[in-house]
Every structure is written in C-alpha cells, then in structure tokens.
Amino acid sequence: MNLNHPVTYIKGISVARAELLFTELGIKTCNDLLHLFPFRYIDKTQFYTINQLQQNSAEVQIVGKITGVKTVKQKRGSRLVATFSDATGTMELVWFKGVKWIKDSLKVNVPYVIYGKLNWYNGIPNMPHPEMETVKEYKSKLQMAMQPVYPSTEKLSTKGISNKVMRTMIQNLFQQAYNEIEETFPAYFIEEHQFLGKKESLLNIHFPKNQELLAKAQYRLKFEELFFIQLQLLQKKLIRKSKLKGFVFEQVGEEFTDFYNNHLPFDLTGAQKRVLKEIRKDVGSGAHMNRLLQGDVGSGKTIVALLTMLLAIDNGYQATIMAPTEILATQHYNGIIELLEKTDIKVELLTGSTKTKKRREIHESLLDGSLHILIGTHAILEEKVQFENLGIAIIDEQHRFGVAQRRKLWEKSSSDGRAIPPHILVMTATPIPRTLAMSVYGDLDISVIDELPPGRKEIKTVHRYDSNRLGVFKFLKDEIAKGRQAYVVYPLIQESEAMDYKDLMDGYESISREFPSPKYQISIVHGQMKPADKDYEMERFAKGDTQIMVATTVIEVGVNVPNASVMVIESAERFGLSQLHQLRGRVGRGAEQSYCILLSSYKLSSDGKTRLQTMVETTDGFKIAEVDLKLRGPGNIMGTQQSGVLNLKIADVVKDSPILHVARKAAINILQEDPNLSEIKNSSLLKAYEKLRKTSGIWSNIS
Ligand code: ADP
Ligand code: MG
C-alpha cells in the first residue's frame, strides 16, 4: 500500500467515513491520517515515580502522600498548594478553583493515586487540578489501558467516529502500511542528533510504549517540522543573495554627503549609524536587498529611510515610501520636504485624495525621471504609477500590507522588461520577538534600532479606573495650562461598529462639556471622516490650535506632534498590547515629561489585567511583544499568516523555541556545506524537502 492512497484503502474506512474525515478534518490520504497527531494521552497503565517524570504532553499517574497543604494568596483570590511526595521525590499539587472545599477534603499522610498533566516550573513538576483517589478507592475499580486522544468534531462523534474508532483505524493503518513510512533524515543526521527513526517516531506518537519514547517521538517530529521550515526560509534567502540581482548603489554621492554634513538636524544615534551601514552594505553588494528594519516608536526610522533614499538618488535611481494611512503619508511628506528644503531633490505626495491634474503631473515626472522621491499610500500601487527606474521601495508599518500588494511594488520598475526589482526596506515599529522573527521572517535580513535618541524622558504610565475620570481631567487641565496637548483615544475596533462609534461621540461630548470653548479647543479624528476633514483636524492639532485630540486608532501609527505629552486611552482593556504600545508612542516625542493614562472599567479579564500591568511596568517594545506573543499565540501576530507557522501540526513556535534554535542551526550547517542538498548523503532530505515545497504555499518573491 502506498501512503498517498486515499484512506479508503485502510481496513474499516468506508467511503462514507472517508468523506467525513475529509470534510471534518481535511484528511484525504493515508499520509494525512498518519499525521493526525493525538493531542493528549490517557496513560493509566503505568505508575510513575516522581524522579521518572518527563517533560512531554502526556498525563501521568503517581502514588504518594500529601505531606502538607498551604493556601497561597495571589492577585485574585488564592490558590491551594499541596506538597506531594513518594519515596523518590517531592512535587506540588495545585488548585485555583474550589480551594476551600478541596482543602477540607484532602487527607494528609494517606496514600493517594493522582492522575493528570504536569506543568514544569524551573525544572520542578507540578500538577494542577489532579484527578485523585485514595489507593483504597483505586483498587476497587477496573483500570483502562493507555490510549491516544485524537482531535475530533461534534459531527464525527455523532456519526460514529468515536475516539475508539479513530484509534482502530490508525492501528489498521500501521498494520497495513508501517513499512511504507520513509525515513526523511539521513543516517548521519539521525546519529548526530540522537533522533528516533521516522517509523518509530510516528508509531510512538500514536501508540507510545512509554513516556520516554513519547518524549523522544515528540522531539523528533517537532524538530523535523521546524527544521524544514527553516530550510525553506534559509534557502530562499540564499537564492535571493546569490541569484537575484539588485541595483548597485556603489557611490556615496553629493546628495547624501551634502545632506549628511549640512542639513542633518541632529547626530545619528549609534544604532541608526549601524543600521545605515548594514543597509549600505546590502545595496552596494549587487544582490537584492529585502530587509526588515525594526525600531520602537520614536527610535528614528524616518531619517534612516531618508538617507537610504538619498543613496539611491546619488546613484541615479528613484525612491518611494509607502505608508498605510493618508495621515501618515502626509506626515512623512511634510517631514521630508522640510528636511530636504535646502536641496534640489524633488518630492511628491500621492494619495487617494490627490487631484487628477496633480496625479497626471506626478505620473509624468515619475516616467521622465524628474521626480526623485514619491511618498504615498496604496495609491502608489495603482498600475498607472510607473517609475523610470525605481531603485528602492520603503514600506512603513508593513503589517497593514499584504503579500500581493508588495508584489505589485516589486513590479514597478520592471515594466520595461528589466528583471531587477527595487530593493525593499520594510520598517516596523512593532517589535517581533526573536523566535517569531526567525520562523516568520527567517528569509529576510533584519536590522534593529535598539536605542532611542538622547534626551528622551521615559513616559510615565498609570492605570486608572473609570471612576477616577474626573481626576484625570483635572490632570489634563494642569498639563494644558503648562502649554501641553493631549490625546484621548477611544477603541473603535471596527470603524463600522455603531456601538463604538457612539462611545466615541459620547466621549467627545463629555470632553467638550468638561473643556468648554473658547478656553479649550478640541479636535476629533475618526475613520468615517473624509480624508480632507481628517487632515484639517490633524493640522489644527499639530499647529497647536487645539489642545485636545479626541480620536480613534487612526492616530495609532506614526503621527508625530512633539508638543503632545499626554495620552489618555479609554477602555484600555479592549486594546491589544501592540496597539497600546503604538498609541503610547504618540507621546514622549518632545523634551517634556510625557504621560500615558490607561482608563478601564473594574471588570477586567485576567489577560486584560496582564496587558495593562505590562504597559505600566515597561516601555520596552520587545518585552511587550514577548508578553503579547504569550497571551495571543503566534496566530495573531503580523506576518504569521503567510509564514506557515500556523500550519504547524505538532511544534509550537513559542513553547518549542529551544527546539527551533537547534533546528535552525542544523539547517544552516547543512546548507553551508551543501546549499542545493545535492550530495548523496542528503538525498533523503532533498526528497522530503521537494515534497514539502510542492505542497506548501509559503513561497513568494517578497516576504
Ligand atoms: P519612528 O522610528 O517612530 O518612525 P521617527 O523617525 O518619527 O521615529 O523619529 C522620531 C523623532 O525623533 C522625530 O522627531 C525625529 O526627528 C527625532 N529623531 C530621530 N533621530 C534622532 C536623533 N538621532 N537625535 C535626535 N532626534 C532624533
Ligand atoms: Mg515612523
């Protein structure tokens, strides 16, 4: 039997069952079924001693005695912790719920059988909410055998594909096709890493003989999954570096030098200089640059972008910056023409609201090469916009752009048949945790600005409940009296949601009452306004004509008003961490002490609480991103959709990051020695890799 055969080849799988497996779980072939991994195991065949416990996802059964019980106070309520010992060691049993009556029912120094999943903390196991009975009770019952538990759906179980049926099907599959399972790793590699073989790994992931073999099987399969992703990403990078030509910006010319020496308004930070060097090395190399520039809000990415563009111009190329919103594009435009005031460089702005006549002018000057820098929104992607020779495209805040859009950008300067795409620099203020960056952007080069310009004061962040709003308003008045300005932001998660919109308008009204004109002037900006109205309001605030800006998250990205020093976030518990961090970054841009006030109701989920607390505790974007990743998982972090990290069957990029590191290193070693996997000893790798490449959709020109 061939593993690519449909599952109907397996004994016990009728056409009807096969259809169910497909519609419910996407399983078509024997191979698919082989890779439907159990998500947990019931193991009551065996007793473990505390010193035998392994770090895997199985549940274990232990006999021992409770030697002590204590209640530990925590932020909310308390937890019950029992010390549990056998002859070989000690562990803890933990309860978060029903603490009171469990405490009363626990018997100290009476032999118990406990059963459950382990958590590991600092290398010490604990078992939350164990199933437990006294040994006496246990002996009076019949015990079940060890079994895998498979993912299921309601329909599967009502149509008779119970866990037991699933188990039998998979058992049959192993009986019929065990010998068809091919090893994907070369022998030397297996030996080097002490892996379990592929067959054994698959067998033990479904029907583990014991905990140790299960742990080994899990390790091998997780490693394999992560390894092949890394292999893909790294090879893609290699191909780009070796095969994909890039324009060469070899000389640092007049424009760059003149600007750098005469018009740069400040000294670059060490980090900015370093990043600029990295970029220069890339664009001078003859290879195509595809670089991600990470830098926290306010770290000064814009000037790096500008200097990079000057480099392009010095070498006869055009440059473009694309921003996700009109506000942001306009701001880049204003900032850049101010910086370039004393030079001859021509800069234009193209957005959805650019007038037809202006648009035509821009199209022409792009084509005849007289326009050097085009700044804009998605409007730049329109087909009509063609450059004479676009050398570099800079994308600001890239999480708003999809892959397809980036591909359009790629084609901008190859319209006349030249095969060389513009260099790409993607700038993001959302720091990506290292682990994730490796698995999502493993094929990009990454530069990090990890230093803020000097003289910035740390933003003071506090969390206040709604009932303190008057106090907050008082504080705002004091700050305004000192000449400062403030933002008040409302969550409009979906700009169309009527409820949120009403909240915003109610808020605007109450603030208008509290801060009456003519003493106070208030701006309002939200997504339902016309771009021109938005700009007008932003402009008034930027010029200092208004003191308060009531807004939705449209101001989240990039807006720069240095005199604004207070950020009030309403219903802060409803925002995600990265959004909160972005919003906070709107203040702290000037010389004054800045503040961020997070207002929330008393009703907070535990995640909500963690988010607010994280914001109060740190301004470090990378720390915030780590917490975010832990809270939300990789699925919600930008870029992950395209990367394949979500389709992982067994590994978890967050929890398995130690394995990821080893796998990446192994992939690097192999590619260094054998970049095309053409050596005989790597033939099994090549075969598995080719198969994967065909089936996964993660290959695209621009990441
Ligand atoms: P972001 O990385 O968030 O895009 P910006 O490029 O908007 O940050 O820079 C934030 C502010 O810091 C701007 O007002 C900019 O002029 C200023 N800035 C950038 N680099 C420096 C520097 N090296 N020294 C002083 N100020 C700087
Ligand atoms: Mg910016």
Side-chain angles (χ1 to χ4, degrees):
M1 188 166 97
N2 183 321
L3 284 171
N4 292 321
H5 283 156
V7 286
T8 45
Y9 276 67
I10 301 167
K11 214 170 81 195
I13 302 192
S14 61
V15 172
R17 277 186 172 173
E19 217 169 276
L20 266 175
L21 285 175
F22 180 66
T23 52
E24 294 298 294
L25 298 172
I27 290 170
K28 223 176 188 166
T29 65
C30 295
N31 202 42
D32 294 340
L33 189 62
L34 197 57
H35 288 87
L36 175 75
F37 296 142
F39 65 95
R40 68 186 188 96
Y41 304 84
I42 298 172
D43 178 9
K44 296 196 173 177
T45 58
Q46 231 175 325
F47 286 95
Y48 290 85
T49 54
I50 293 174
N51 66 355
Q52 286 172 333
L53 299 176
Q54 302 267 340
Q55 300 213 24
N56 61 33
S57 62
E59 299 178 0
V60 291
Q61 185 167 247
I62 310 165
V63 180
K65 287 177 185 172
I66 290 175
T67 54
V69 181
K70 63 180 180 214
T71 314
V72 181
K73 280 249 173 306
Q74 48 187 40
K75 271 169 257 147
R76 242 193 329 186
S78 54
R79 67 173 188 273
L80 186 65
V81 179
T83 311
F84 187 82
S85 312
D86 67 4
T88 70
T90 296
M91 60 183 282
E92 288 185 337
L93 312 181
V94 191
W95 292 266
F96 302 96
K97 285 183 188 140
V99 167
K100 234 190 188 139
W101 79 250
I102 290 168
K103 189 174 179 188
D104 292 340
S105 68
L106 292 178
K107 297 177 195 125
V108 176
N109 280 326
V110 169
Y112 271 107
V113 177
I114 62 162
Y115 177 81
K117 222 175 128 168
L118 298 171
N119 277 337
W120 290 79
Y121 188 74
N122 285 341
I124 298 168
N126 69 71
M127 192 183 285
H129 288 257
E131 280 176 34
M132 54 195 300
E133 12 181 43
T134 59
V135 169
K136 213 168 136 200
E137 287 164 340
Y138 180 89
K139 281 186 174 158
S140 65
K141 288 184 194 163
L142 262 171
Q143 299 306 319
M144 278 186 298
M146 182 171 191
Q147 33 175 290
V149 182
Y150 291 99
S152 186
T153 67
E154 210 180 315
K155 201 158 167 202
L156 281 177
S157 30
T158 55
K159 297 267 177 173
I161 304 191
S162 63
N163 194 57
K164 199 170 154 204
V165 170
M166 190 74 95
R167 218 168 62 216
T168 313
M169 297 188 311
I170 295 177
Q171 255 160 3
N172 290 343
L173 168 61
F174 271 103
Q175 256 165 25
Q176 289 171 258
Y178 186 64
N179 288 324
E180 298 297 318
I181 299 171
E182 279 179 43
E183 182 50 70
T184 34
F185 285 162
Y188 78 90
F189 197 62
I190 290 179
E191 191 170 341
E192 190 184 319
H193 292 273
Q194 307 259 299
F195 286 133
L196 221 52
K198 183 78 177 234
K199 276 185 195 166
E200 263 184 298
S201 299
L202 285 170
L203 186 61
N204 277 288
I205 206 83
H206 288 285
F207 307 108
K209 285 209 190 71
N210 56 48
Q211 301 269 338
E212 198 193 335
L213 279 171
L214 174 61
K216 286 192 105 172
Q218 283 177 337
Y219 183 83
R220 146 93 205 223
L221 295 171
K222 285 176 177 184
F223 185 102
E224 178 163 349
E225 192 165 42
L226 296 168
F227 173 81
F228 279 111
I229 289 183
Q230 289 304 319
L231 208 57
Q232 273 190 344
L233 291 169
L234 290 162
Q235 222 201 16
K236 200 160 135 190
K237 183 159 154 181
L238 257 170
I239 289 172
R240 183 162 48 75
K241 295 225 148 149
S242 62
K243 303 232 176 78
L244 200 56
K245 282 217 179 95
F247 299 123
V248 187
F249 303 168
E250 60 194 341
Q251 55 169 339
V252 176
E254 208 174 301
E255 301 295 357
F256 186 101
T257 314
D258 173 51
F259 181 82
Y260 198 93
N261 293 336
N262 305 322
H263 308 302
L264 199 62
F266 36 67
D267 291 333
L268 295 185
T269 61
Q272 285 169 322
K273 281 185 193 156
R274 190 192 66 235
V275 165
L276 207 58
K277 239 187 230 156
E278 288 165 0
I279 293 172
R280 270 183 53 190
K281 198 166 159 219
D282 268 9
V283 296
S285 72
H288 178 251
M289 175 172 81
N290 201 7
R291 189 171 276 279
L292 180 69
L293 173 55
Q294 287 193 63
D296 220 334
V297 275
S299 61
K301 294 183 291 296
T302 314
I303 200 78
V304 172
L306 178 58
L307 286 162
T308 306
M309 293 195 293
L310 293 181
L311 213 53
I313 294 166
D314 270 340
N315 289 276
Y317 296 97
Q318 292 164 303
T320 186
I321 298 189
M322 203 158 74
T325 64
E326 182 148 1
I327 291 179
L328 192 54
T330 309
Q331 196 176 281
H332 270 313
Y333 174 73
N334 291 333
I336 283 173
I337 51 173
E338 195 181 316
L339 285 164
L340 296 180
E341 204 182 352
K342 300 209 177 71
T343 72
D344 298 327
I345 295 170
K346 283 260 298 168
V347 187
E348 290 287 2
L349 176 68
L350 180 70
T351 71
S353 42
T354 305
K355 298 269 174 343
T356 316
K357 181 161 167 264
K358 183 76 192 170
R359 214 170 259 268
R360 219 174 287 138
E361 269 173 47
I362 290 176
H363 292 165
E364 278 164 21
S365 57
L366 276 178
L367 272 181
D368 68 24
S370 59
L371 180 56
H372 303 110
I373 296 178
L374 180 65
I375 297 172
T377 57
H378 289 76
I380 292 180
L381 295 175
E382 283 167 18
E383 232 160 85
K384 283 206 186 109
V385 181
Q386 289 295 340
F387 292 76
E388 186 203 24
N389 60 5
L390 180 61
I392 181 156
I394 296 173
I395 305 174
D396 199 7
E397 309 296 349
Q398 110 282 15
H399 51 300
R400 307 282 176 99
F401 286 109
V403 168
Q405 290 168 318
R406 273 175 265 162
R407 188 165 303 139
K408 279 192 190 160
L409 203 48
W410 179 279
E411 284 156 5
K412 281 286 164 204
S413 72
S414 42
S415 59
D416 61 351
R418 268 174 314 174
I420 300 183
H423 293 299
I424 304 277
L425 182 67
V426 171
M427 305 197 293
T428 176
T430 312
I432 305 157
R434 232 175 82 77
T435 355
L436 199 59
M438 253 176 6
S439 37
V440 178
Y441 297 109
D443 62 323
L444 295 194
D445 293 301
I446 298 182
S447 289
V448 182
I449 306 187
D450 50 7
E451 180 186 352
L452 291 181
R456 296 272 169 83
K457 292 200 178 84
E458 180 127 324
I459 301 166
K460 288 192 178 141
T461 304
V462 294
H463 170 210
R464 296 280 180 268
Y465 292 105
D466 289 340
S467 53
N468 295 326
R469 187 175 276 104
L470 283 182
V472 173
F473 285 165
K474 166 85 173 60
F475 178 76
L476 281 189
K477 282 180 183 158
D478 292 347
E479 287 299 301
I480 291 170
K482 289 188 216 159
R484 307 285 106 73
Q485 290 165 283
Y487 296 98
V488 182
V489 178
Y490 287 82
L492 245 127
I493 306 299
Q494 292 222 316
E495 295 276 353
S496 58
E497 268 180 35
M499 258 293 282
D500 286 341
Y501 190 68
K502 187 173 173 303
D503 283 354
L504 172 76
M505 283 324 197
D506 288 352
Y508 176 65
E509 262 169 41
S510 85
I511 287 170
S512 304
R513 266 195 311 276
E514 194 65 36
F515 296 86
S517 101
K519 186 168 178 203
Y520 299 100
Q521 298 295 324
I522 304 169
S523 286
I524 180 164
V525 170
H526 58 78
Q528 298 188 341
M529 287 163 67
K530 289 210 190 79
D533 296 341
K534 258 193 260 180
D535 288 351
Y536 175 75
E537 288 292 326
M538 273 310 301
E539 191 67 37
R540 291 210 304 152
F541 186 67
K543 280 201 304 223
D545 294 348
T546 59
Q547 296 87 40
I548 300 176
M549 162 65 76
V550 176
T552 63
T553 47
V554 290
I555 62 144
E556 177 189 333
V557 191
V559 170
N560 189 20
V561 180
N563 190 50
S565 64
V566 188
M567 168 61 67
V568 179
I569 304 178
E570 291 272 357
S571 305
E573 74 273 26
R574 293 183 53 197
F575 289 89
L577 259 179
S578 70
Q579 251 184 338
L580 289 172
H581 181 60
Q582 286 284 331
L583 284 168
R584 178 168 59 185
R586 298 309 106 214
V587 296
R589 307 193 139 228
E592 303 304 329
Q593 176 62 54
S594 290
Y595 304 88
C596 175
I597 303 169
L598 307 166
L599 280 169
S600 83
S601 70
Y602 282 97
K603 258 198 253 156
L604 289 178
S605 67
S606 103
D607 280 7
K609 216 175 216 175
T610 307
R611 288 196 295 267
L612 298 184
Q613 202 165 352
T614 305
M615 288 298 292
V616 170
E617 277 166 11
T618 183
T619 52
D620 181 334
F622 279 94
K623 278 197 193 128
I624 291 172
E626 293 281 352
V627 177
D628 200 28
L629 182 59
K630 285 207 181 98
L631 288 180
R632 296 196 302 160
N636 294 302
I637 312 281
M638 60 173 198
T640 50
Q641 275 75 4
Q642 291 99 306
S643 70
V645 296
L646 291 186
N647 306 327
L648 294 177
K649 285 207 168 66
I650 183 164
D652 175 324
V653 278
V654 182
K655 292 196 192 113
D656 296 320
S657 67
I659 305 179
L660 173 66
H661 284 265
V662 185
R664 180 171 173 90
K665 198 139 180 275
I668 290 172
N669 286 343
I670 287 187
L671 285 177
Q672 259 167 4
E673 210 189 280
D674 183 12
N676 299 314
L677 303 178
S678 51
E679 286 179 29
I680 298 210
K681 66 174 188 177
N682 289 326
S683 60
S684 52
L685 273 184
L686 183 65
K687 195 168 164 196
Y689 181 57
E690 288 294 331
K691 209 157 113 191
L692 246 161
R693 266 180 61 164
K694 264 183 225 136
T695 52
S696 85
I698 78 170
W699 286 71
S700 62
N701 274 336
I702 310 174
S703 269

